[in-house]
Amino acid sequence: GEAAERVARALLTAGPSTATDLAELLAMTPAGIRRILGGLMDSGLVVAHDRAPYGPSPKRGRGRPSSVFSLTPQGRAACDQSYDDLAVEALRFMSEAYGPQAVEAFATQRANRMASAMVPDGATTASPHEVAAALSLAGYAAEITPLGGVSVQLCQHHCPVVDAAREFPVMCEAETAALSNVLGTHVTRLATLAHGDEIC
């Protein structure tokens, strides 16, 4: 239903969230959100965790800790209206006709073009927040999580090309290299949606 779709899309955009977080975001009651989440869990579209599957652990208050809900791969696929079957077929053809180096060249060109659009005029690099904003505009639902005063974690809750990246990991590798260049620092990828993780 419409309410379930709103909750699922909120999880897609905001990432793993508690029922209270979702209730505030969607202006609904926590009880109503929990009922919808129960139905989404029964359908295999949402899973509950004791804590967020990435980032720092939230501070615990009194009482029982709140469950954190996130979309399963099936849940993300249900939200995605732009299936990349055509892209996968095209990449398969490129690989078979011209070799894997053709797919690698395409992945590198795509990642570099996307990354170059993130750099503000007159600059040579972009800030993590500028990168996250550009990725979100491109459909990646990205956000920045500070990790102490030393580094940040760039989280992508969605990947518009996840099916292509699942079959052709070079898509993720090229994106990581391009992000490293545009940020002007080393980037380590801790997880990917393409490998079945909850987040990139």
Side-chain angles (χ1 to χ4, degrees), residues 129-165:
H129 292 282
E130 289 168 333
V131 169
L135 285 169
S136 289
L137 283 175
Y140 287 84
E143 68 175 359
I144 295 294
T145 304
L147 297 178
V150 185
S151 61
V152 296
Q153 187 166 264
L154 172 62
C155 300
Q156 296 166 228
H157 301 291
H158 182 60
C159 176
V161 294
V162 68
D163 290 340

Side-chain angles (χ1 to χ4, degrees), residues 2-113:
E2 183 182 336
E5 185 175 345
R6 286 182 64 210
V7 171
R9 289 198 177 278
L11 285 171
L12 181 68
T13 303
S17 307
T18 65
T20 302
D21 294 336
L22 292 169
E24 290 175 7
L25 184 66
L26 299 173
M28 296 173 69
T29 66
I33 291 288
R34 284 188 192 92
R35 187 170 53 253
I36 292 168
L37 288 168
L40 291 170
M41 287 172 62
D42 290 344
S43 300
L45 303 175
V46 168
V47 64
H49 309 273
D50 292 333
R51 57 163 300 222
Y54 68 92
S57 297
K59 292 180 181 174
R60 286 196 51 185
R62 294 183 182 176
R64 197 169 127 235
S66 298
S67 292
V68 179
F69 300 90
S70 64
L71 291 173
T72 63
Q74 294 86 355
R76 278 189 293 276
C79 287
D80 193 359
Q81 298 302 311
S82 57
Y83 302 105
D84 55 354
D85 291 344
L86 181 62
V88 173
E89 285 185 36
L91 290 172
R92 283 180 191 149
F93 174 80
M94 287 172 60
S95 182
E96 291 167 9
Y98 306 107
Q101 65 275 11
V103 176
E104 184 176 348
F106 168 77
T108 300
Q109 181 188 53
R110 176 187 176 275
N112 289 340
R113 188 175 59 248

Side-chain angles (χ1 to χ4, degrees), residues 100 103-105 107-108 165 168-175:
V103 176
E104 184 176 348
T108 300
F168 298 95
V170 69
M171 300 289 288
C172 294
E173 294 161 14
E175 183 183 292

